[in-house]
Amino acid sequence: MPQIKIVTEVAGRVCAVVASTGGSIGSGDDVVLVEAMKMEIPVPSPAAGKVVSILVSVDDVVAERQTIALLET
């Protein structure tokens, strides 16, 4: 099965991890929330599948276009 990288579009601080490793997720479902400029910005899944790994934790600082999770479709 192919793996898809889930990336964040903004730099900021991870304020919540919504998805869990091994869990199923739908297309458009939130994976994490990133706080940037005092706003919580959701990072959605681009496809439905199984979350293989979450690569960030709460309070981690992420860069724009950083891979935050891997999804198996």
Side-chain angles (χ1 to χ4, degrees):
M1 294 183 157
Q3 285 190 349
I4 297 173
K5 293 180 181 180
I6 300 173
V7 298
T8 180
E9 296 296 323
V10 297
R13 181 187 65 85
V14 176
C15 58
V17 177
V18 182
S20 59
T21 300
S24 294
I25 195 165
S27 179
D29 289 351
D30 293 343
V31 179
V32 302
L33 297 175
V34 175
E35 182 183 323
M37 299 174 59
K38 297 185 181 180
M39 294 177 60
E40 290 184 359
I41 300 165
V43 178
S45 174
K50 178 181 167 186
V51 179
V52 176
S53 64
I54 305 272
L55 306 173
V56 294
S57 300
V58 173
D59 289 329
D60 284 356
V61 176
V62 294
E64 185 177 345
R65 304 296 304 160
Q66 179 175 334
T67 301
I68 56 142
L70 297 174
L71 179 70
E72 191 174 77
T73 59

